[in-house]
Amino acid sequence: QWQLVESGGGLVQPGGSLTLSCVGSGFAWGYYNLIWFRQAPGKGREGVASISPSDVTNYAESARGRFTISRDNAKNTVYLQMNSLTPDDTGVYYCAASVSFASFDPNIYNRWGQGTQVTVSS
């Protein structure tokens, strides 16, 4: 029953904002690090932001200052608030979870959500 489901993606103009959500089930949500990744066309999956069970956050340089990761353990949900979006932010956004790590190395994680598409275009 282990599951991660992303939502909230869509088409947005440059400079706009989106907030993504990822809802988990089937595991002890509050004990897990939660990590947002994205995959642009023709590129590998790259880490965007992470948050630990104690709310320690980390951001990729491309996201720092524009994106905010947060979690609501009562709802088993992690959010990614994205502001000042540019076309370089376009891609499929995925969430992953680990009780041990919050690394941006996608090879560490073997359970993923299905992804949600974010397209930044005018």
Side-chain angles (χ1 to χ4, degrees), residues 48 59-66 104:
V48 177
Y59 297 92
E61 187 62 33
S62 61
R64 188 172 292 113
R66 300 188 299 126
F104 286 169

Side-chain angles (χ1 to χ4, degrees), residues 8-65:
L11 176 64
V12 63
Q13 293 185 343
S17 299
L18 281 175
T19 298
L20 308 181
S21 300
C22 176
V23 179
S25 60
F27 62 98
W29 180 265
Y31 293 96
Y32 277 72
N33 299 283
L34 304 166
I35 312 95
W36 283 100
F37 289 81
R38 68 186 180 192
Q39 189 163 17
K43 296 184 178 180
R45 196 165 296 186
E46 63 174 355
V48 177
S50 66
I51 186 166
S52 77
S54 59
D55 288 341
V56 176
T57 59
N58 192 34
Y59 297 92
E61 187 62 33
S62 61
R64 188 172 292 113

